[in-house]
Each structure stands twice: as C-alpha cells, then as structure tokens.
Amino acid sequence: MGAQIQDISERRAREDRLHHMANHDGLTGLLNRHSFVMQIKERLERDGTAAVFVLDLDGFKDVNDSLGHAVGDTLLQALALRLSATSDPAENLARLGGDEFGILLPADIDITNLAVRANTLIESIRRPFSVSGHELNLSASVGVAVAPLHAKDADELIVRADLALFKAKGEGGRRYHVFDTGLENQLGAARAFQDELRFAFSERQFELHFQPQVLLDDGMLTGAEALLRWNHPVRGFLRPAAFMAVLETHPLAYEIGCWVLDESCRTLAAWRSHGLPALRMCVNLFAAQLRSGTLGEVVEATLTRHGLMPSDLELEITETIALRHEDKELAPLWNLRSRGVGIAFDDFGTGFASLSALKDFPLTRLKIDRSFVSDVCSNPHSAAIVRGVITIGRSLGLDVIAEGIETDEQVSYLKASGCVSGQGYFFGKPMPTYDFIDMFGGTR
Ligand code: C2E
Ligand code: CA
Ligand code: CA
C-alpha cells in the first residue's frame, strides 16, 4: 500500500517535471514560446483583449561574439532574473528564443499605461549587469502590439510586436515602438531594399566622389570631402538621398563606413603619388561607427595602412549623431583629436545642438549648413545665423567652413563676414577621383 502511494507520487513528480520542461525555457526557467502563445490564446478567449511586449537586447550579438556563448548564456539568465524581479506578478514572462523575451501584460492594464511600462522596462535594463567578472552596460528595445487593435490571434500578435521591435531597433534602439498598420508595408519594403544594398556592397557598386574645399581668399585647394555614390546598374549614379535613410540603420552601415574611410585614405595617398598638393581628406561618419567603440583603432590602422598622418584626415559628424551619443562613445574622438585628426561638426545650425554641447564635444571645425549659405545674400535670418556661427567658431578657437557655395556673391559675403574656408559647386562639384586629379593639376 505504502509502496503504491510512493509510486504514484513519484510518477506525479516525474510528470510535473516533464510538464514543466515542456512549458519552460531550459536556460532561464521562464515560459517558452509555445506556452507563451497558449497564455495569450487563453487570455484572448477569456477577455477578448491582450497586450504584448517583445523585448530584445541591443547588441547582444556583440557580447556573444566578443565574450563567448557561456557569458552570453549567463547574461540571458541575469536578464531573466532582472525582468522577473521588476515585473508585476500578473505579467507573464517568456523567452521567445535567442535574446528575445515576451511579456504578456496584466489583463486590467490601461492602454495609456503601456508606454510608461515599456519605458520602466527599458530603464531597468540600463543598470549594468555583472556577469562572469564583466560589467556589461546594455540597452534594450521593445515592440508593442495590442489585440484586437493590431492582430486577431496570438501568433499574429507576436509577429506584429516583433515588427514594432524591428522598427524600434532601426531607430537606434533603447526605445519602444508601438505597431501601426503602415509598418508592415514599410518594413517589407525596407527589408527588400536592405537586401539590395547588401548585394550592391558585395558587388562593389559603391564609389566615392570628391568635392574640393578651398580658402575663400585665394581659392587655394586645402581639402576634399568624400561623398558616397551608388553606381546602380540600372539607375546610374545615385546620391545618398536615394538610399541613406535605409543605409544608416542597416547592419552593414558600420562596414560600409569602414570601407569609405579606407577608400578615401587610399585615394588621398594615390593623389600624392600623382603630384597633387598636400590636402586633407574629409570623411562623413555613420552613427554605427561611433557606437562601435572601435573607431580609434580603425582610424589609426587605416592611416597606417596608407602611410598617412592623423592631420591628413578630418571626420565629419552631424548634429544628430553628436547629440545621440553616450559619453563613453566620445572617448575615441577625444583621443583622435589629440593625435591631430580633424573633427568637423557637419550641418551645423540645422539641429538642436545647444551651444553648451559644443564645449563637451571634441571639435576642430564647424561646417555651416548649405541651407543658410544658399540664401545668405537674400535672407537676413540666414545671414544672422551665418555670422553667428562664424563668431562662435572664432571665440571657441574652431575653424569654420561654409558648404554649398554656388555664387560669387555668396563668396564675397562669407569672406567679408570672416569665414575662411568654403566648399560648393562654385569651386567644384563632387567628382570621380580622376577628374579631381585633372582639375587640380596632377599627372595621371
Ligand atoms: P553632406 O555631408 O552635408 O554633404 C554635402 C552635400 O551637399 C553633398 O550631397 C554634396 O553633393 C552637396 N553639395 C555640395 N556643394 C553643393 C552646392 O554648391 N549646391 C548644392 N545644391 N549641393 C551641394 P550628397 O553627396 O548628395 O550627400 C548627401 C549627404 O549624404 C551628405 O551630406 C552626408 O550627410 C551623406 N553622406 C554622403 N556620403 C557619405 C558617406 O560616405 N558616409 C556617410 N556616413 N554619410 C555620407
Ligand atoms: Ca559632410
Ligand atoms: Ca553638410
């Protein structure tokens, strides 16, 4: 009799264990994808409504690649613990695969509270994780979808939260995005275009054109800005306006940025051997290059590879990139500047950079945006901004260059206002390397 009871309870325990294993993720102990879907189904049957978050770490792959899978796994366990500790007991937590987690919000949550909850979640993950002796600073993105507003069943709800997550990551991560119906078409098209860009890069369809920079006083050539062109097999040379929005958020942006750097430095070295005078190469950076933390090493290695000095190079950074940075991302720039690499603030005056941001940022030059230069002679507001930027530059000890100069009058006005350098169609359009050599007196 006693043995029989023991038998039964052992069997129960075994069944419970099997049941638990079938419904939970082995690594984190959270619900697995299957039972998460079942929970949503039940919720929808009972209440007819459900709100779901899909959360994913920004840059988890980097941790895995650089510190190994064992550390990656421990990090996922730590993340699961953090999520459990900070979540409402009425929330259902699941690991959906990889570094993707699902959260089914409590049935009684008010839709207007979803944003608040998503933000506290994102904030909770920004506290550092200490994993296997490493202190990891991470961030996460969240996609939000609500049934029946965005989807009719559980599977569709997760797919749509996933799409919203993709969008949140595309916008730079560290944020949430709520699904909307335009997203599906938009993301479908964006994905197809991303594939096309990847193909174009592997087929070497990208090229650089170079635009001269001169001293306004005597027109002397001092530099060149490298500008990306897509030599499209059907559509011809495409300017960045046709592809930059997608490229900037493309996983390849970092690699393409490294290629631009390498190709423009290679070109500068080649110009020297063709007898062109000394000039500085100016290269636009992608946000991904700043975010990577490797910019210092990459720039140094590129200069060495082509036998160039730090002072042969200027990096251009737009206001949006500059304002979105984390302080630690600026360390390589400070370092590069102290080594003699120029750092220009591109499109200056078009964004929201405060003047105090200027002093916290390692700069050597301000670039007055084309939009102010284009009507500097006719629009008093533009003229005031142009003069203002020149004054700020002078008082902070920064060089100033005006871009987009097209006319003689603009040159005169800028010169009279104390602007030293310029760039624009008036002096030369962006052109292929051999045209540049011809124009500036080198021998081919
Ligand atoms: P940007 O850095 O502000 O580059 C100046 C843009 O103004 C270039 O457009 C150039 O062709 C154009 N431009 C120059 N002078 C004149 C002028 O006198 N009149 C007019 N109307 N336009 C002038 P582009 O080449 O189409 O580049 C657009 C933007 O794409 C660039 O703006 C830059 O933000 C981005 N970009 C270009 N190449 C690269 C690259 O290699 N890497 C990165 N990260 N961004 C790039
Ligand atoms: Ca630029
Ligand atoms: Ca610009």
Side-chain angles (χ1 to χ4, degrees), residues 207-209 211 225-229 238-244 247-248 253 256-257 259-261 283-287 289 316 318 321 346-347 367 369-370 374 403-407 410 423-430:
E207 279 181 32
L208 295 179
H209 282 184
Q211 185 174 34
E225 179 175 5
L227 293 159
L228 193 58
R229 296 290 177 266
L238 296 180
R239 291 181 46 166
F243 57 85
M244 199 46 100
L247 181 55
E248 263 166 355
I256 294 184
W259 175 81
V260 171
L261 191 65
V283 177
N284 296 285
L285 289 186
F286 289 103
Q289 290 172 280
E316 297 197 3
T318 58
I321 294 183
D346 204 352
D347 302 343
K367 223 171 168 185
D369 190 60
R370 192 174 80 217
S374 67
E403 68 177 355
I405 302 178
E406 296 185 356
T407 68
Q410 289 165 350
Q423 173 182 350
Y425 293 171
F426 183 76
F427 305 105
K429 290 197 167 183

Side-chain angles (χ1 to χ4, degrees), residues 33 52-59 96-103 118 121-122 125 139-145 157-180 183-184 187 191 249:
R33 189 175 193 110
V52 165
F53 287 174
V54 175
L55 174 145
D56 165 319
L57 288 177
D58 304 323
L96 303 179
D99 64 329
E100 203 171 284
F101 291 79
I103 300 167
L121 206 55
I122 291 168
I125 286 161
S139 61
S141 301
V142 172
V144 182
L157 190 62
I158 297 178
V159 167
R160 297 201 152 168
D162 239 342
L163 279 177
L165 171 69
F166 183 76
K167 177 80 173 174
K169 291 183 105 56
E171 285 170 350
R174 271 180 230 160
R175 68 197 62 210
Y176 73 90
H177 195 94
V178 183
F179 178 82
D180 59 77
L183 215 51
E184 222 146 20
L187 289 177
R191 279 193 175 137
T249 60

Side-chain angles (χ1 to χ4, degrees), residues 74-90:
T74 316
L75 171 62
L76 292 176
Q77 288 169 333
L79 175 62
L81 279 177
R82 171 97 41 106
L83 290 174
S84 308
T86 51
S87 74
D88 183 318

Side-chain angles (χ1 to χ4, degrees), residues 34-110:
H34 169 75
S35 44
F36 188 60
V37 172
M38 297 313 289
Q39 296 277 351
I40 301 174
K41 283 198 163 123
E42 277 172 31
R43 177 72 63 77
L44 284 173
E45 274 162 25
R46 202 181 65 220
D47 301 338
T49 158
V52 165
F53 287 174
V54 175
L55 174 145
D56 165 319
L57 288 177
D58 304 323
F60 177 69
K61 192 175 165 297
D62 296 340
V63 174
N64 245 351
D65 289 351
S66 56
L67 301 175
H69 289 263
V71 174
D73 282 354
T74 316
L75 171 62
L76 292 176
Q77 288 169 333
L79 175 62
L81 279 177
R82 171 97 41 106
L83 290 174
S84 308
T86 51
S87 74
D88 183 318
E91 291 177 352
N92 290 301
L93 294 178
R95 176 165 173 242
L96 303 179
D99 64 329
E100 203 171 284
F101 291 79
I103 300 167
L104 172 61
L105 289 127
D108 57 1
I109 191 162
D110 186 334

